[in-house]
Amino acid sequence: MQNETVSSVLTIEGQKKITMTGVDSVDGFSESEIRLTVNGKRVTINGAGLKVLAFSKGSGNFSASGEVNAVKYGGAKGKALQRLFK
């Protein structure tokens, strides 16, 4: 079976609301950080007063509110641990 890459769209409205499609999972969240997995890659949202409003694993739709200060795209999930223990 081939790995299928799903298209992902990120929208930030007035630095107060963020929506994203193609999200595989919400890996963790707090008022200052939300960690997501999108197409096997880590996405981190940093800010203040962040709240997850909705997430549908079936459709991959995600939304959150709060003050969005940064969005970081990282490498493959778990890759840092693999390099650490080599």
Side-chain angles (χ1 to χ4, degrees), residues 12-18 46-48 50 64-70:
I12 301 173
E13 299 173 33
Q15 204 175 349
K16 298 291 181 193
K17 184 175 181 186
I18 188 165
N46 295 105
L50 296 174
S65 66
E67 182 180 325
V68 178
N69 295 324

Side-chain angles (χ1 to χ4, degrees), residues 47-68:
L50 296 174
K51 293 181 193 175
V52 175
L53 299 176
F55 171 62
S56 170
K57 186 161 179 78
S59 67
N61 293 332
F62 168 84
S63 65
S65 66
E67 182 180 325
V68 178

Side-chain angles (χ1 to χ4, degrees), residues 20-66:
M20 192 168 198
T21 62
V23 176
D24 299 325
S25 65
V26 177
D27 301 324
F29 58 91
S30 68
E31 287 190 359
S32 60
E33 180 180 86
I34 300 173
R35 293 179 314 278
L36 308 170
T37 300
V38 179
N39 291 324
K41 303 211 187 266
R42 176 76 63 175
V43 175
T44 304
I45 302 164
N46 295 105
L50 296 174
K51 293 181 193 175
V52 175
L53 299 176
F55 171 62
S56 170
K57 186 161 179 78
S59 67
N61 293 332
F62 168 84
S63 65
S65 66

